Amino acid sequence: MLNYVIRRVLYAIPILIGVNLITFALFFVVNTPDDMARIHLGAKHVTPEAIERWKVEHGYDRPLLFNQEAEGTGKLTETLFVNKSLALFALDFGLADDGRDIAREIGTRMWPSLAIALPTFLVGLAVYISFALTLVFFRATYLDLTGVVLSVVLMSISGLFYIIGGQYLLGKLWHLVPVSGYAPGWGMFKFLILPIAVGVVSGLGDSSRFYRTLFLEEIHKDYVRTARAKGLSERVVLFRHVLGNAMIPILTGAVVVIPRLFLGSLIVESFFGIPGLGSYTIEAIQAQDFAIVRSMVFLGSVLYIVGLLLTDLSYTLVDPRVRLE
Amino acid sequence: MRPWPVPVFLLILAALLAACGGPANNPHPAGQAGGRILFSAFESRPKHLDPARSYSENEVVFTGQIYEPPLQYHYLKRPYELEPLTAESMPKVTYHGADGGVLPDNAATEAIAFTTYEIRIKPSIRYQPHPALATDAAGKPRYFPISPRELVDIDDFQDFTATGSRELTAEDYVYQIKRLANPRLNSPIFGLMGEYIVGLREYGKQLEKEAAALPKDAYLDLDRYPLEGARVVDRYTYRIRIRGKYPQFVYWLAMPFFAPVPAEAERFYTQPGMSEKNFTLDWQPVGTGPFYLAVNDPNRQMVLRRNPNYHPDAYPTGGDPGDADEGLLADAGKPLPLLDEAVYVLEKEDIPYWTKFLQGYYDTSGISSDTFDQAIRLGPDGQPDLTPDMGERGIELSTAVRTSLWYVGFNMLDPDIGGTGERARLIRQAVSIALNYEQFISIFLNGRGIPAQGPLPPGIYGYREGEAGINPAVYRWENNRPVRRGLDEAKALLARAGYPNGRDAATGKPLTLYFDTMASGPDAKSRLDWYRKQIGALGVQLIIRDTDYNRFQDKMLKGNAQIFEWGWNADYPDPENFLFLLYGPNRKVEKNGENAANYANPEFDRLFLQMKDMPNGPARQAVIDRMVEIVRHDAPWVFAFYQKSFGLRHGWVKNGKPNLMANNTLKYRRVEPAARHAYQARWNRPVWWPLALMAAALAALVVPATLAYRRHLRATARGA
Amino acid sequence: MTLSFRPEILWSDALLFLLLAALAVFAWQVGRHEHLREPWRRVGRSRMGMGAAVLLAAYALVGILDSLHFRPALPAEPGQPVHYAAEVHSVLDTLVGPLRTQVEETYSAPLALHLYAKETMELPDGRQVRDFPRLKFGGAHLAGVEARAGDIAGHIGMGLLAGGVASALALGLALVFVGLGAGPQGPSGSPGHLGITGAWSALSRSSSLAGLRAGLIVLCLLLLLAAAVIQLAPHYHILGTDKVGQDVFYLSLKSVRTGLLIGTLTTLIMLPLALFLGVAAGYYGGRADDAIQYLYTTLNSIPGVLLIASAVLVAQVYIETHPELFDTAAARSDLRLVFLCLILGMTSWTGLARLLRGETLKLREMDYIQAARAFGISHLRILGRHILPNVAHLVLIAVVIDFSGLVLAEAVLSYVGVGVDPVTASWGNMINGARLELAREPIVWWQLAAAFVFMFALVLPANLFADSVREAFDPRAGGQA
């Protein structure tokens, strides 16, 4: 077990190097250090000397991948890539280009993201599974049909409409929640209701249909028929047997996203003005702050790999038949 | 099995909230609405709060209240007028010849080699309480040096429990001028000031050498070398010496760039471990102004709080005629500031901002073009007025023509449409006529602009009103107002240029023009469509080349752009600050200047040098008239429009006269909290029935099914 | 003699035609093999599937018409060489004619006669009044608002009449088709001539013709609607106009192509990658598997939006540095669209590849494949004959399901600012613009509503069609209880 985990962690290293290389390449195809300097120095009165100074100061004066002038291994190590990427492995994200410490920023911004993403995820999971179970429970009645049609209809609406509609109705017309914003502590409560509700509703069609299919697949299996033949009530059959067995595919889908919840949702956060990591990332893309983009990509990859690992581990918990080699 | 349907869940939550009191949708903590607090918003987080670095409008909103330069603009008087702020009086100006001898005030410009500004500040002005100025019982700095162990426990800036203050001295002003040259700060005005302030450029070189020898974050002692152009005379007096004559320099003395910074603060912040915690001067300012930055959470909100050490300052007792009638002198003579706190909330999108403003949760708002029709009704004479809806809410409108200019530039280095050739000039003039800015202003700005007739906006010396002020290349004077020349005239110009109907007369090839822009997003799309439509009316193809910010800057620098939009916001209210945008040696290509069109006309350049140093008067006006005439003829720009700024504020906000030059207007504002509280409650009565309806609908769907299912179960049970 | 136009094949057009050709080949293949034809018959019998297919076909028709591009010749003086307009038109533009050119000043509501914003107008006597001016085109033939209702009813009546005729024609064709027994087998089970009454009763009752019936009903409704719109659209802005006065109905039609291209071209790009890498990883295992798994885990672990955003920026730089490749504005925005598809394809192949790898892994262990290997049949042959056909349904289902997701994704990407070119008509751009319009008072709702309806009317049938395809190919997942 421990061996397996260690092996998986080691396996992650080449992946992270690959991720770094890709983002690095993509970013510097479009962003020369000169461009970055110009953006950070502002539009008015920028001199070439100021750009040079900025590059030296922020360590962007080195060549990208290969240093012609350095000696020996320095040819490879005294480069922008090695310097800017290696530190990441020690989770040292360095300073953003506006001089703020990235790790610190991530530390504070993670909580609002989590405050939205985690309840959305949990409430969502509960709602989708209950909804799907309800449909299965009432299968072949008008309720099931209505539910399925509703799901397809919900799926066919762009997520943007839910956000726009929610803000318009609940915030502007009915005065029930603030249109957008965020506050730390207990005050956050009223700000979270709308984004969470929108998040849950916008996933309703897709996910509950998926879960319904899973449950239906289980329900046609022999063991369910046996259970029913034994005279177990429909409720017990559904909850104990069907739900229990459908847990594996549900977990595969769900566990892998849990660590990434930290990163928050780009769209929801920027619409609702939540100061989380999602809006941080969008702003960084717009401001072309390479240090932040790189850190977020790296963090995203790490969290994804952790998610995969968690998925594997959770298999063993849910289904004792699965053994990790 | 009973899943909690979302609406029911919401209903309970909302009911809980409603029980807490106050409107359910109040984005601010309950109870704040009753305080002397102004609620406003900022759109993007400020990058720099260091007075040597901050230049953007969104940064000056904060630095303007915290830092105090020696001069300020009078709050009420128009045209804009400078007055002393921390200075005792206006600076004493003396001219010197090349030998250093003092010259009379009326000396010829050529004879003046140096100008000295002597500024004497008021005594006993004190800084805001700040840890950098804290001292222990022995009078030694409390947090300098700070041990790494002590710093470990300090996570938030508020964790520095000890604070202190001291008197403002002339030394602090000189120190800040030296900071402009600090290579680590990359001050945006260093290049410009290096041209003027004696020795500043050399001083910067010296510092650069020194900084290179030091470790990256070590303290750079600016006091080790004197700066010739800025010297302390005594505790309260300092002198700035600049090259030649530059009458506009005095305007710079009203900007935060020339505000005082105590050297202790710099030393405090450069201690190891500080910048990792975002403890920098760029982030935690220390000033003498009416407010200090109490909360700095740029991801959410910034809070300015009243500075307890603020020096005596009073609301002006005199203003423009009419100010008294508008209630702008009700607070005359009262001690400033009139607010206890100003809360700025991050609000990136227009729509939530506007919605919250209408709900009474923000005290002030601008007007975007999409909210315009809701807020403003233009009277029969084109005068803007509030709609009845706004009027009922007690909202007030203030308008002002901004000291800014929008233009569409032609790259004068472009082979097709640039240069001094007659053919290219005619094309440029045809385009100038075709871009119908009356229509543009009506569609995109809802009338919040004035079609520009030249490079100088109203309110700037040299601007001419009426018939004398129109651009004859584009307008005719009819019925006492300017009328844009018709499309047929533009087509005729094009035909004279050799492109009848937009086709090359010789080859029949259609004329194609290129529009370079970095605009993107929905609003930009309709604007770009408009440009295509307008130019298309000439039979000419306009191709939009849109790119990101970087690429666009690059194109401009290399001179690869053809037609582009550009705007300029005045640094100070003087024609020099606009006309220099067309001064040849100031061109973008090679020189990286602000002359984005790369326009160069020797006659214009000569007149510019002459106009620059002249005092306002008929002679200067004559030179300016000639310059404007040249530019209108050459048409390197399509003069687009001067923007009008419309501000809305709720009735409970007082003293809201727009002042587009002053940065420190917050101290004059006043709110009436009781009125605000009452209105907020009235405008935000929650509406519950839709939720109840939703819950009922869900029940209507589920209950019959459950019943049916029960029946079915019973039936099968009986059957079995 | 010179042509009065020059055909212009944009990159996306070429790819679209390639896709159509591939589809034709696929259809031909399916037609030749009974076991491949069977699931499609099931789709054909599904009411939902056929109804959806007709709607999708209508969209496809609009999209294809809008992909036939050309540049009209400019009127030339005798003796001069012919020049072509820099503006690229499509056949659709020609067909809808006046919709494109009838541009108002700014907003106007659907079917309105007046602008939605007041303007200052000068009266003949020199006085100025502020009022809603009449539209230049919308309802310009009418004397006043009173005449509008009658006029609209007249046009709709005419349209319905024409639509009715067309529907009757379609119905007649279907009857002939069924009557001749060329279609699915009749109720008697044997092909044969049924006669008109027999055909009618078969068409109206037979359960095996339920799909055709549903398709016909949708077709008739569509024809009625289209005919009414064709009658009405030249005289009114039936969905209003946008901020710069363009007809919203025209914009919505133009957006169809963008939506379809993003939904289909992305698949075209992703398919070979996913198929090749997924199957290879599963079949060969070992090193190849490791390498491919490494590749897709790496790509997968990068947050998608970041990858797409950076890649779109790269594309823009390419376009910027090679202006000589694009002589028209259409070519520039077209390439950005193609790049967007390319990038979406590059980032979305990993899911399918993973699925295919798993399935191939399973198939590899099957007895008959083991046996084939034991007989020494070459790998390529095994892959081609046994593996590929057995994973084809997975590919198909994934492709059909992805389609709607991609159409929706376009809107979100446009919001983030990394979507299609801002001058390209697309639902994403429309929604994005409409967000601002919602805050206006009185509210401008028609652009948002148009984007919503057009998108919904594409994505809903796409989802339904995907469902019936999935059911047909994989009866287990059908879930009828």
Side-chain angles (χ1 to χ4, degrees), chain B residues 217-402:
Chain B
D217 40 9
Y219 176 63
L220 185 60
D221 189 359
L222 302 185
D223 285 335
R224 270 181 53 191
Y225 305 97
L227 169 62
E228 202 196 328
R231 284 176 189 273
V232 176
V233 178
D234 61 39
R235 187 171 165 84
Y236 301 115
T237 316
Y238 66 105
R239 265 190 215 127
I240 303 172
R241 170 176 270 224
I242 62 169
R243 269 190 212 97
K245 185 179 174 185
Y246 179 38
Q248 290 82 16
F249 182 73
V250 69
Y251 294 115
W252 288 101
L253 294 177
M255 291 192 222
F257 291 116
F258 287 85
V261 166
E264 294 95 314
E266 186 96 63
R267 208 170 306 139
F268 169 79
Y269 284 125
T270 39
Q271 298 181 82
M274 284 281 191
S275 67
E276 282 81 354
K277 303 202 167 193
N278 293 330
F279 300 155
T280 63
L281 198 53
D282 216 11
W283 215 229
Q284 301 290 350
V286 42
T288 60
F291 296 93
Y292 71 97
L293 191 61
V295 177
N296 183 353
D297 180 359
N299 303 332
R300 204 171 64 77
Q301 66 173 19
M302 312 275 280
V303 177
L304 291 174
R305 207 163 283 158
R306 172 200 283 271
N307 172 11
N309 296 342
Y310 189 54
H311 56 87
D313 191 6
Y315 195 91
T317 48
D320 277 355
D323 282 351
D325 298 340
E326 287 178 39
L328 287 168
L329 289 175
D331 292 314
K334 286 199 186 144
L336 299 176
L338 299 170
L339 291 171
D340 289 332
E341 207 172 285
V343 175
Y344 295 85
V345 181
L346 179 65
E347 201 68 78
K348 271 180 262 177
E349 306 254 343
D350 286 348
I351 290 152
Y353 185 4
W354 175 247
T355 311
K356 287 180 203 169
F357 171 71
L358 286 188
Q359 292 172 341
Y361 296 131
Y362 288 126
D363 294 333
T364 58
S365 168
I367 308 172
S368 74
S369 90
D370 293 279
T371 51
F372 188 85
D373 289 344
Q374 186 180 0
I376 307 291
R377 189 179 52 175
L378 292 175
D381 50 350
Q383 281 304 307
D385 198 7
L386 286 168
T387 55
D389 178 38
M390 295 290 122
E392 271 165 38
R393 287 166 180 265
I395 290 173
E396 285 170 38
L397 169 76
S398 51
T399 65
V401 180
R402 297 178 62 112

Side-chain angles (χ1 to χ4, degrees), chain A residues 257-275:
Chain A
V257 303
I258 292 179
R260 271 212 184 164
L261 292 180
F262 282 97
L263 293 186
S265 151
L266 301 180
I267 304 292
V268 168
E269 281 184 18
S270 64
F271 259 100
F272 286 102
I274 310 285

Side-chain angles (χ1 to χ4, degrees), chain B residues 360-481:
Chain B
Y361 296 131
Y362 288 126
D363 294 333
T364 58
S365 168
I367 308 172
S368 74
S369 90
D370 293 279
T371 51
F372 188 85
D373 289 344
Q374 186 180 0
I376 307 291
R377 189 179 52 175
L378 292 175
D381 50 350
Q383 281 304 307
D385 198 7
L386 286 168
T387 55
D389 178 38
M390 295 290 122
E392 271 165 38
R393 287 166 180 265
I395 290 173
E396 285 170 38
L397 169 76
S398 51
T399 65
V401 180
R402 297 178 62 112
T403 45
S404 69
L405 168 73
W406 284 93
Y407 61 88
V408 167
F410 299 100
N411 178 11
M412 295 299 278
L413 301 178
D414 187 88
D416 294 330
I417 55 140
T420 50
E422 189 65 5
R423 197 177 160 118
R425 191 181 69 80
L426 289 169
I427 297 178
R428 292 197 298 267
Q429 283 198 345
V431 170
S432 299
I433 295 174
L435 292 180
N436 182 342
Y437 274 97
E438 284 77 14
Q439 198 188 46
F440 183 97
I441 291 167
S442 139
I443 295 178
F444 298 101
L445 302 172
N446 307 93
R448 280 174 298 164
I450 301 173
Q453 302 288 349
L456 295 178
I460 297 292
Y461 186 81
Y463 171 79
R464 274 186 184 277
E465 269 183 58
E467 188 172 2
I470 66 162
N471 179 1
V474 181
Y475 287 89
R476 263 197 310 267
W477 188 259
E478 272 173 23
N479 298 335
N480 262 330
R481 60 197 175 96

Side-chain angles (χ1 to χ4, degrees), chain A residues 297-309:
Chain A
V297 167
F298 187 80
L299 199 65
S301 307
V302 170
L303 292 175
Y304 178 74
I305 289 161
V306 170
L308 289 183
L309 189 60

Side-chain angles (χ1 to χ4, degrees), chain B residues 434-436 439-440 443-444 515 517 519-537 540-546 565, chain C residues 87 100 103-106 241-248 250-251 254 329 333 421-426 429-430 433 437 447:
Chain B
L435 292 180
N436 182 342
Q439 198 188 46
F440 183 97
I443 295 178
F444 298 101
F515 191 83
T517 176
S520 63
D523 248 18
K525 179 182 177 329
S526 42
R527 204 175 67 240
L528 296 176
D529 281 348
W530 182 84
Y531 279 118
R532 277 205 311 219
K533 202 172 88 179
Q534 295 297 315
I535 305 279
V540 175
Q541 280 287 323
L542 185 71
I543 293 185
I544 309 286
R545 294 191 291 209
D546 70 315
E565 294 172 290
Chain C
E87 210 173 332
R100 185 171 60 83
V103 178
E104 308 288 349
E105 289 250 314
T106 179
T241 54
D242 72 355
K243 193 167 186 170
V244 288
Q246 300 185 80
D247 190 286
V248 170
Y250 173 68
L251 287 181
K254 292 294 277 183
S333 49
D421 198 274
V423 299
T424 309
S426 89
N429 281 336
M430 281 169 75
E437 294 165 2
Q447 195 166 196

